[in-house]
Amino acid sequence: MRALWGFLAGLVFGLGLIVSGMADPAKVQNFLDLAGAWDPSLAFVMGGATVTAFIGYRLVWRREAPVLNPTFDVPTNRRIDRPLLTGAALFGAGWGIGGFCPGPALTALPLLAPGTLAFVPAMILGLWIGARLKSAPVLRAPA
């Protein structure tokens, strides 16, 4: 049952990305192009997502436990450290250059656009390399 709800949530998310135009990397790149063909619509998408998440969290935190889990799985690490900042910088640079983040990239994959077909394998490779680097004893952040 949990897998079905996960699938449905992913489907709604993917449809939202398509309807909002976020499956098109030009949408993101035009948002970042302040001196050229600036497109402010991404700000409205992000604003709508922020309001929806704010309301959703307020409703969810009133519950004792999630609907499909016995407890909430809340991260306990609140530190801002070098791995977090490095990862955020790499994510932001990739987002700005490629115009994709993981969700929209996977949503756009069936369109078979050359940029998407290059981005998704590079993203998967980057995730694999990142996992290997994170588990390397030399590069692991001190606890």
Side-chain angles (χ1 to χ4, degrees):
M1 186 60 143
R2 189 170 169 194
L4 174 65
W5 283 109
F7 172 78
L8 291 175
L11 184 64
V12 169
F13 178 69
L15 289 172
L17 291 172
I18 291 170
V19 168
S20 66
M22 293 300 110
D24 179 8
K27 182 76 111 173
V28 173
Q29 291 166 333
N30 287 341
F31 174 74
L32 297 172
D33 186 8
L34 298 176
W38 185 61
D39 179 2
S41 62
L42 179 57
F44 294 106
V45 171
M46 288 190 283
T50 301
V51 169
T52 302
F54 178 82
I55 293 168
Y57 272 102
R58 295 299 171 265
L59 295 173
V60 166
W61 287 124
R62 292 180 181 176
R63 301 181 57 86
E64 286 187 30
V67 175
L68 300 174
N69 244 9
T71 60
F72 286 106
D73 185 16
V74 180
T76 56
N77 184 0
R78 298 173 85 79
R79 292 184 327 151
I80 297 175
D81 55 8
R82 186 179 15 233
L84 175 66
L85 294 175
T86 303
L90 287 170
F91 178 88
W95 186 58
I97 292 168
F100 280 126
C101 60
L106 294 175
T107 301
L109 197 55
L111 302 175
L112 300 177
T116 310
L117 294 176
F119 181 87
V120 170
M123 176 184 75
I124 292 169
L125 178 63
L127 289 168
W128 183 80
I129 291 170
R132 297 301 167 274
L133 289 175
K134 191 173 181 181
S135 65
V138 175
L139 301 175
R140 197 172 309 139

